[in-house]
């Protein structure tokens, strides 16, 4: 596995792989890798001849400077995990390498980035779209892999790729969970023991919501979830929303067989966790 720090070198590497007839799979990450990331790498390895993983904590997608400072950085163990998984190349640039100039492009995603994460993290998705576009332009992979845990991010990246007419297949991979249901996330390592013990409630309540969806109005369901989360002393709900799985618009009337996504963001201390589940009626 080779580790590359500059844009020129990764472009050269990716171009060489292509010239040698290899299909390239690309997994963008911000490091602090866990089994969820490794599953993306494993899927990329199955579907491509060469796999590139980027590790870059993207400053422009953090609307909260403290969150950026506290974001876990575990390069040594990340590289060990990737080597073991069979990854071929890691791209790990400095901030100046990716942003020689300040960001000036602003995407218009309509309502997609105004709701849920977008509402509480202004500018976040412009930052995500900006870095993903840059990385895809540099690597020009055949396929790029993203986890469904960041459901809204996935919808926005697919939209950006369509808007920009980029020649890449976006592959969405299922959320990987701990044995107790907690969605794997780099942020989980910042939970203390008490918070970690309570955190599985997040997925439990999402599964419960998918059952309640058949039995009660959406407003009653939202209220019930809000009460249960806020009654837990370790948790503070930021939002819980039932949305159209494609447009992400809030849904208030149930439609038979139409997929909705229930999305949740919860603070546990200063650790912000998100999760989601897709279901229908
Ligand atoms: O999901 C993430 O880790 C990040 O948002 C991504 C897609 C790597 C962009 O920085």
């Amino acid at each position: 596995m080779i580790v590359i720090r500059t844009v020129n070198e990764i472009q050269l590497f990716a171009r060489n792989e292509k010239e040698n007839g290899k299909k390239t799979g690309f997994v963008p990450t911000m490091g602090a890798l866990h089994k969820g990331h490794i599953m993306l790498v494993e899927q990329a390895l199955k579907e491509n001849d060469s796999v590139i993983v980027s590790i870059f904590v993207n400053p422009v997608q953090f609307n909260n400077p403290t969150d950026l400072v506290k974001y876990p950085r575990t390069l040594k163990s990340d590289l060990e995990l990737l080597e073991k998984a069979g990854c071929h190349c890691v791209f790990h640039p400095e901030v100046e390498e990716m942003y020689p100039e300040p960001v000036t492009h602003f995407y218009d995603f309509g309502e997609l980035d105004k709701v849920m994460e977008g509402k509480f993290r202004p500018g976040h998705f412009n930052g995500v779209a900006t870095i993903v576009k840059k990385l895809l332009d540099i690597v020009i992979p055949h396929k790029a892999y993203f986890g469904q845990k960041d459901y809204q991010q996935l919808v926005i990246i697919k939209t950006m790729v369509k808007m920009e007419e980029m020649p890449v297949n976006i592959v969405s991979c299922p959320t990987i969970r701990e044995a107790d249901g907690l969605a794997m996330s780099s942020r989980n390592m910042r939970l203390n023991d008490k918070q970690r013990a309570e955190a599985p409630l997040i997925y439990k309540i999402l599964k419960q919501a998918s059952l309640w969806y058949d039995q009660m109005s959406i407003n009653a369901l939202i209220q019930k979830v809000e009460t249960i989360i806020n009654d837990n002393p370790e948790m503070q709900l930021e939002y819980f929303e039932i949305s159209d799985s494609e447009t992400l618009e809030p849904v208030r009337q149930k439609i038979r067989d139409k997929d909705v996504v229930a999305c949740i963001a919860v603070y546990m201390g200063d650790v912000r966790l998100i999760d989601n589940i897709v279901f229908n009626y």
Side-chain angles (χ1 to χ4, degrees):
M1 184 177 83
I2 63 168
V3 179
I4 289 177
R5 306 293 313 260
T6 67
V7 170
N8 279 345
E9 280 172 286
I10 189 71
Q11 275 174 329
L12 207 66
F13 176 86
R15 211 175 299 145
N16 262 338
E17 295 295 75
K18 218 161 289 163
E19 281 168 9
N20 289 328
K22 294 187 184 175
K23 278 189 176 158
T24 305
F26 178 51
V27 183
T29 82
M30 297 206 298
L33 303 184
H34 50 69
K35 210 167 142 212
H37 294 110
I38 299 306
M39 297 293 276
L40 300 181
V41 174
E42 284 173 359
Q43 187 157 344
L45 281 164
K46 269 190 217 141
E47 298 177 359
N48 304 275
D49 308 302
S50 179
V51 170
I52 301 174
V53 174
S54 64
I55 297 180
F56 179 66
V57 182
N58 175 34
V60 307
Q61 72 184 73
F62 285 81
N63 58 310
N64 175 349
T66 317
D67 201 21
L68 172 60
V69 172
K70 288 194 173 170
Y71 200 83
R73 288 156 172 89
T74 57
L75 185 63
K76 192 167 172 283
S77 68
D78 290 351
L79 294 179
E80 282 165 11
L81 281 173
L82 291 172
E83 174 102 64
K84 206 166 140 217
C87 166
H88 299 96
C89 172
V90 175
F91 178 45
H92 175 50
E94 294 288 347
V95 172
E96 296 72 32
E97 187 71 14
M98 293 312 292
Y99 293 109
E101 307 289 338
V103 176
T104 49
H105 184 75
F106 293 94
Y107 284 93
D108 181 1
F109 291 117
E111 283 304 300
L112 279 186
D113 67 344
K114 310 287 181 301
V115 294
M116 300 189 290
E117 291 299 286
K119 185 167 160 197
F120 290 95
R121 303 179 71 187
H124 168 65
F125 286 121
N126 202 66
V128 171
T130 302
I131 193 65
V132 173
K133 166 87 167 70
K134 272 177 188 274
L135 290 166
L136 292 176
D137 279 347
I138 291 168
V139 176
I140 320 185
H142 180 64
K143 293 182 177 184
Y145 296 79
F146 296 86
Q148 282 163 11
K149 188 183 80 86
D150 295 294
Y151 191 92
Q152 191 172 7
Q153 166 171 287
L154 192 56
V155 172
I156 284 177
I157 288 170
K158 283 183 183 166
T159 305
M160 184 272 287
V161 161
K162 219 180 255 174
M163 275 162 71
E164 302 278 8
E165 299 179 6
M166 301 181 85
V168 59
N169 294 303
I170 299 298
V171 182
S172 65
C173 304
T175 303
I176 306 298
R177 300 184 179 280
E178 303 287 355
D180 58 14
L182 177 64
M184 288 196 186
S185 161
S186 308
R187 291 164 200 260
N188 293 354
M189 62 178 84
R190 293 186 47 226
L191 297 172
N192 65 31
D193 289 351
K194 202 149 181 245
Q195 292 164 339
R196 178 61 190 82
E198 293 296 324
L201 175 65
I202 297 171
Y203 184 52
K204 210 169 146 203
I205 201 78
L206 287 178
K207 279 195 298 186
Q208 193 59 58
S210 72
L211 303 177
W212 286 332
Y213 193 62
D214 281 346
Q215 301 161 9
M216 60 181 81
S217 74
I218 296 178
N219 283 337
L221 164 59
I222 290 175
Q223 251 181 28
K224 212 170 156 85
V225 171
E226 285 175 353
T227 308
I228 291 172
I229 294 289
N230 284 329
D231 277 353
N232 185 305
E234 298 297 329
M235 294 187 175
Q236 201 190 336
L237 183 71
E238 188 163 68
Y239 66 79
F240 172 72
E241 190 54 273
I242 305 278
S243 305
D244 183 295
S245 64
E246 288 165 17
T247 66
L248 302 184
E249 277 168 32
V251 172
R252 290 297 171 267
Q253 290 296 328
K254 292 188 267 193
I255 302 175
R256 263 276 162 231
D257 297 328
K258 173 92 187 109
D259 275 358
V260 294
V261 58
C263 296
I264 192 165
V266 174
Y267 272 100
M268 302 195 74
D270 67 348
V271 184
R272 187 175 183 277
L273 300 178
I274 60 169
D275 202 351
N276 66 79
I277 188 169
V278 176
F279 50 84
N280 61 31
Y281 165 61

mmCIF file of all heavy atoms in Angstrom, residues 162-189:
data_model
loop_
_atom_site.group_PDB
_atom_site.id
_atom_site.type_symbol
_atom_site.label_atom_id
_atom_site.label_comp_id
_atom_site.label_asym_id
_atom_site.label_seq_id
_atom_site.Cartn_x
_atom_site.Cartn_y
_atom_site.Cartn_z
ATOM 1 N N LYS A 162 -24.803 14.357 -10.413
ATOM 2 C CA LYS A 162 -25.711 14.521 -11.555
ATOM 3 C C LYS A 162 -25.600 15.945 -12.112
ATOM 4 O O LYS A 162 -25.471 16.157 -13.311
ATOM 5 C CB LYS A 162 -27.147 14.248 -11.082
ATOM 6 C CG LYS A 162 -27.969 13.483 -12.117
ATOM 7 C CD LYS A 162 -29.365 13.242 -11.631
ATOM 8 C CE LYS A 162 -29.563 11.800 -11.197
ATOM 9 N NZ LYS A 162 -30.857 11.556 -10.593
ATOM 10 N N MET A 163 -25.621 16.939 -11.189
ATOM 11 C CA MET A 163 -25.544 18.352 -11.609
ATOM 12 C C MET A 163 -24.274 18.615 -12.410
ATOM 13 O O MET A 163 -24.269 19.334 -13.394
ATOM 14 C CB MET A 163 -25.518 19.263 -10.362
ATOM 15 C CG MET A 163 -26.866 19.603 -9.790
ATOM 16 S SD MET A 163 -26.749 20.201 -8.068
ATOM 17 C CE MET A 163 -26.029 21.788 -8.259
ATOM 18 N N GLU A 164 -23.170 18.034 -11.938
ATOM 19 C CA GLU A 164 -21.859 18.284 -12.554
ATOM 20 C C GLU A 164 -21.570 17.309 -13.692
ATOM 21 O O GLU A 164 -20.497 17.360 -14.288
ATOM 22 C CB GLU A 164 -20.744 18.159 -11.494
ATOM 23 C CG GLU A 164 -20.888 19.098 -10.313
ATOM 24 C CD GLU A 164 -20.351 20.486 -10.604
ATOM 25 O OE1 GLU A 164 -19.999 20.767 -11.766
ATOM 26 O OE2 GLU A 164 -20.295 21.300 -9.662
ATOM 27 N N GLU A 165 -22.507 16.406 -13.952
ATOM 28 C CA GLU A 165 -22.360 15.379 -15.003
ATOM 29 C C GLU A 165 -21.016 14.649 -14.883
ATOM 30 O O GLU A 165 -20.245 14.549 -15.833
ATOM 31 C CB GLU A 165 -22.515 16.008 -16.391
ATOM 32 C CG GLU A 165 -23.879 16.640 -16.582
ATOM 33 C CD GLU A 165 -24.063 17.290 -17.941
ATOM 34 O OE1 GLU A 165 -23.174 17.151 -18.794
ATOM 35 O OE2 GLU A 165 -25.103 17.930 -18.123
ATOM 36 N N MET A 166 -20.739 14.165 -13.680
ATOM 37 C CA MET A 166 -19.447 13.501 -13.440
ATOM 38 C C MET A 166 -19.530 12.017 -13.817
ATOM 39 O O MET A 166 -20.523 11.365 -13.525
ATOM 40 C CB MET A 166 -19.055 13.647 -11.966
ATOM 41 C CG MET A 166 -18.952 15.097 -11.556
ATOM 42 S SD MET A 166 -18.480 15.272 -9.841
ATOM 43 C CE MET A 166 -16.714 15.161 -10.007
ATOM 44 N N PRO A 167 -18.455 11.483 -14.427
ATOM 45 C CA PRO A 167 -18.483 10.097 -14.911
ATOM 46 C C PRO A 167 -18.126 9.089 -13.818
ATOM 47 O O PRO A 167 -17.132 8.386 -13.917
ATOM 48 C CB PRO A 167 -17.412 10.108 -16.003
ATOM 49 C CG PRO A 167 -16.420 11.116 -15.514
ATOM 50 C CD PRO A 167 -17.168 12.145 -14.717
ATOM 51 N N VAL A 168 -18.915 9.039 -12.766
ATOM 52 C CA VAL A 168 -18.605 8.127 -11.661
ATOM 53 C C VAL A 168 -19.900 7.486 -11.153
ATOM 54 O O VAL A 168 -20.952 8.131 -11.161
ATOM 55 C CB VAL A 168 -17.881 8.888 -10.510
ATOM 56 C CG1 VAL A 168 -18.731 10.026 -9.975
ATOM 57 C CG2 VAL A 168 -17.494 7.951 -9.374
ATOM 58 N N ASN A 169 -19.798 6.228 -10.765
ATOM 59 C CA ASN A 169 -20.950 5.573 -10.130
ATOM 60 C C ASN A 169 -20.844 5.756 -8.630
ATOM 61 O O ASN A 169 -19.832 5.363 -8.040
ATOM 62 C CB ASN A 169 -20.942 4.066 -10.403
ATOM 63 C CG ASN A 169 -21.155 3.768 -11.860
ATOM 64 O OD1 ASN A 169 -22.140 4.181 -12.435
ATOM 65 N ND2 ASN A 169 -20.201 3.068 -12.462
ATOM 66 N N ILE A 170 -21.892 6.311 -8.027
ATOM 67 C CA ILE A 170 -21.903 6.447 -6.565
ATOM 68 C C ILE A 170 -22.566 5.194 -5.989
ATOM 69 O O ILE A 170 -23.720 4.891 -6.310
ATOM 70 C CB ILE A 170 -22.678 7.723 -6.135
ATOM 71 C CG1 ILE A 170 -22.009 8.981 -6.718
ATOM 72 C CG2 ILE A 170 -22.780 7.809 -4.612
ATOM 73 C CD1 ILE A 170 -20.591 9.226 -6.264
ATOM 74 N N VAL A 171 -21.822 4.485 -5.157
ATOM 75 C CA VAL A 171 -22.332 3.246 -4.574
ATOM 76 C C VAL A 171 -22.694 3.514 -3.109
ATOM 77 O O VAL A 171 -21.842 3.985 -2.342
ATOM 78 C CB VAL A 171 -21.271 2.119 -4.638
ATOM 79 C CG1 VAL A 171 -21.837 0.812 -4.076
ATOM 80 C CG2 VAL A 171 -20.786 1.927 -6.072
ATOM 81 N N SER A 172 -23.942 3.235 -2.752
ATOM 82 C CA SER A 172 -24.336 3.467 -1.351
ATOM 83 C C SER A 172 -24.317 2.141 -0.598
ATOM 84 O O SER A 172 -24.855 1.135 -1.070
ATOM 85 C CB SER A 172 -25.701 4.131 -1.271
ATOM 86 O OG SER A 172 -26.681 3.286 -1.752
ATOM 87 N N CYS A 173 -23.683 2.158 0.557
ATOM 88 C CA CYS A 173 -23.474 0.918 1.323
ATOM 89 C C CYS A 173 -24.222 1.004 2.650
ATOM 90 O O CYS A 173 -24.287 2.079 3.259
ATOM 91 C CB CYS A 173 -21.984 0.723 1.589
ATOM 92 S SG CYS A 173 -21.028 0.705 0.063
ATOM 93 N N PRO A 174 -24.786 -0.127 3.101
ATOM 94 C CA PRO A 174 -25.598 -0.121 4.327
ATOM 95 C C PRO A 174 -24.821 0.315 5.570
ATOM 96 O O PRO A 174 -23.602 0.119 5.646
ATOM 97 C CB PRO A 174 -26.046 -1.576 4.487
ATOM 98 C CG PRO A 174 -25.364 -2.354 3.432
ATOM 99 C CD PRO A 174 -24.676 -1.441 2.491
ATOM 100 N N THR A 175 -25.539 0.890 6.511
ATOM 101 C CA THR A 175 -24.948 1.302 7.790
ATOM 102 C C THR A 175 -24.458 0.075 8.545
ATOM 103 O O THR A 175 -25.185 -0.911 8.664
ATOM 104 C CB THR A 175 -26.018 2.028 8.644
ATOM 105 O OG1 THR A 175 -26.512 3.120 7.874
ATOM 106 C CG2 THR A 175 -25.455 2.535 9.960
ATOM 107 N N ILE A 176 -23.238 0.159 9.049
ATOM 108 C CA ILE A 176 -22.703 -0.951 9.849
ATOM 109 C C ILE A 176 -22.906 -0.598 11.317
ATOM 110 O O ILE A 176 -22.639 0.537 11.730
ATOM 111 C CB ILE A 176 -21.201 -1.182 9.535
ATOM 112 C CG1 ILE A 176 -20.998 -1.375 8.027
ATOM 113 C CG2 ILE A 176 -20.653 -2.376 10.315
ATOM 114 C CD1 ILE A 176 -21.711 -2.575 7.435
ATOM 115 N N ARG A 177 -23.392 -1.584 12.078
ATOM 116 C CA ARG A 177 -23.756 -1.326 13.476
ATOM 117 C C ARG A 177 -22.954 -2.186 14.445
ATOM 118 O O ARG A 177 -22.525 -3.283 14.091
ATOM 119 C CB ARG A 177 -25.258 -1.600 13.675
ATOM 120 C CG ARG A 177 -26.112 -0.732 12.790
ATOM 121 C CD ARG A 177 -27.607 -0.886 13.011
ATOM 122 N NE ARG A 177 -28.275 0.035 12.095
ATOM 123 C CZ ARG A 177 -28.417 1.341 12.326
ATOM 124 N NH1 ARG A 177 -28.011 1.845 13.470
ATOM 125 N NH2 ARG A 177 -28.987 2.135 11.437
ATOM 126 N N GLU A 178 -22.813 -1.677 15.652
ATOM 127 C CA GLU A 178 -22.268 -2.489 16.744
ATOM 128 C C GLU A 178 -23.304 -3.561 17.081
ATOM 129 O O GLU A 178 -24.469 -3.451 16.677
ATOM 130 C CB GLU A 178 -22.015 -1.619 17.988
ATOM 131 C CG GLU A 178 -21.099 -0.426 17.770
ATOM 132 C CD GLU A 178 -19.628 -0.820 17.598
ATOM 133 O OE1 GLU A 178 -19.287 -2.004 17.740
ATOM 134 O OE2 GLU A 178 -18.831 0.086 17.301
ATOM 135 N N ALA A 179 -22.900 -4.556 17.886
ATOM 136 C CA ALA A 179 -23.817 -5.653 18.234
ATOM 137 C C ALA A 179 -25.092 -5.119 18.905
ATOM 138 O O ALA A 179 -26.178 -5.683 18.742
ATOM 139 C CB ALA A 179 -23.108 -6.631 19.159
ATOM 140 N N ASP A 180 -24.984 -4.015 19.637
ATOM 141 C CA ASP A 180 -26.165 -3.474 20.322
ATOM 142 C C ASP A 180 -26.947 -2.481 19.457
ATOM 143 O O ASP A 180 -27.855 -1.811 19.936
ATOM 144 C CB ASP A 180 -25.757 -2.827 21.661
ATOM 145 C CG ASP A 180 -24.735 -1.703 21.482
ATOM 146 O OD1 ASP A 180 -24.534 -1.249 20.334
ATOM 147 O OD2 ASP A 180 -24.136 -1.283 22.491
ATOM 148 N N GLY A 181 -26.591 -2.358 18.187
ATOM 149 C CA GLY A 181 -27.376 -1.546 17.252
ATOM 150 C C GLY A 181 -26.822 -0.156 16.989
ATOM 151 O O GLY A 181 -27.212 0.501 16.026
ATOM 152 N N LEU A 182 -25.911 0.323 17.839
ATOM 153 C CA LEU A 182 -25.379 1.676 17.634
ATOM 154 C C LEU A 182 -24.656 1.752 16.284
ATOM 155 O O LEU A 182 -23.801 0.913 15.982
ATOM 156 C CB LEU A 182 -24.396 2.034 18.773
ATOM 157 C CG LEU A 182 -23.713 3.400 18.637
ATOM 158 C CD1 LEU A 182 -24.722 4.549 18.716
ATOM 159 C CD2 LEU A 182 -22.636 3.581 19.704
ATOM 160 N N ALA A 183 -25.018 2.745 15.479
ATOM 161 C CA ALA A 183 -24.372 2.907 14.170
ATOM 162 C C ALA A 183 -22.895 3.227 14.377
ATOM 163 O O ALA A 183 -22.552 4.075 15.213
ATOM 164 C CB ALA A 183 -25.046 4.050 13.413
ATOM 165 N N MET A 184 -22.026 2.540 13.635
ATOM 166 C CA MET A 184 -20.593 2.825 13.796
ATOM 167 C C MET A 184 -20.301 4.228 13.305
ATOM 168 O O MET A 184 -20.793 4.658 12.258
ATOM 169 C CB MET A 184 -19.775 1.801 13.020
ATOM 170 C CG MET A 184 -19.833 0.465 13.697
ATOM 171 S SD MET A 184 -18.546 -0.623 13.119
ATOM 172 C CE MET A 184 -19.027 -2.114 13.965
ATOM 173 N N SER A 185 -19.509 4.942 14.080
ATOM 174 C CA SER A 185 -19.157 6.321 13.743
ATOM 175 C C SER A 185 -17.835 6.652 14.416
ATOM 176 O O SER A 185 -17.557 6.168 15.525
ATOM 177 C CB SER A 185 -20.245 7.267 14.270
ATOM 178 O OG SER A 185 -19.748 8.581 14.356
ATOM 179 N N SER A 186 -17.050 7.484 13.752
ATOM 180 C CA SER A 186 -15.771 7.905 14.339
ATOM 181 C C SER A 186 -15.998 8.652 15.642
ATOM 182 O O SER A 186 -15.126 8.712 16.499
ATOM 183 C CB SER A 186 -15.025 8.805 13.364
ATOM 184 O OG SER A 186 -14.946 8.165 12.121
ATOM 185 N N ARG A 187 -17.192 9.251 15.779
ATOM 186 C CA ARG A 187 -17.480 10.039 16.989
ATOM 187 C C ARG A 187 -17.753 9.152 18.207
ATOM 188 O O ARG A 187 -17.684 9.629 19.338
ATOM 189 C CB ARG A 187 -18.687 10.948 16.757
ATOM 190 C CG ARG A 187 -18.386 12.056 15.764
ATOM 191 C CD ARG A 187 -19.657 12.689 15.246
ATOM 192 N NE ARG A 187 -19.411 13.386 14.006
ATOM 193 C CZ ARG A 187 -19.231 14.689 13.882
ATOM 194 N NH1 ARG A 187 -19.294 15.450 14.937
ATOM 195 N NH2 ARG A 187 -18.989 15.236 12.715
ATOM 196 N N ASN A 188 -18.106 7.866 17.980
ATOM 197 C CA ASN A 188 -18.441 6.988 19.118
ATOM 198 C C ASN A 188 -17.298 6.895 20.119
ATOM 199 O O ASN A 188 -17.515 6.716 21.311
ATOM 200 C CB ASN A 188 -18.796 5.578 18.639
ATOM 201 C CG ASN A 188 -20.085 5.554 17.845
ATOM 202 O OD1 ASN A 188 -20.769 6.575 17.760
ATOM 203 N ND2 ASN A 188 -20.410 4.420 17.246
ATOM 204 N N MET A 189 -16.050 7.013 19.611
ATOM 205 C CA MET A 189 -14.904 6.862 20.521
ATOM 206 C C MET A 189 -14.808 8.030 21.511
ATOM 207 O O MET A 189 -14.067 7.967 22.477
ATOM 208 C CB MET A 189 -13.599 6.672 19.736
ATOM 209 C CG MET A 189 -13.180 7.807 18.847
ATOM 210 S SD MET A 189 -11.590 7.493 18.029
ATOM 211 C CE MET A 189 -12.052 6.529 16.608
#
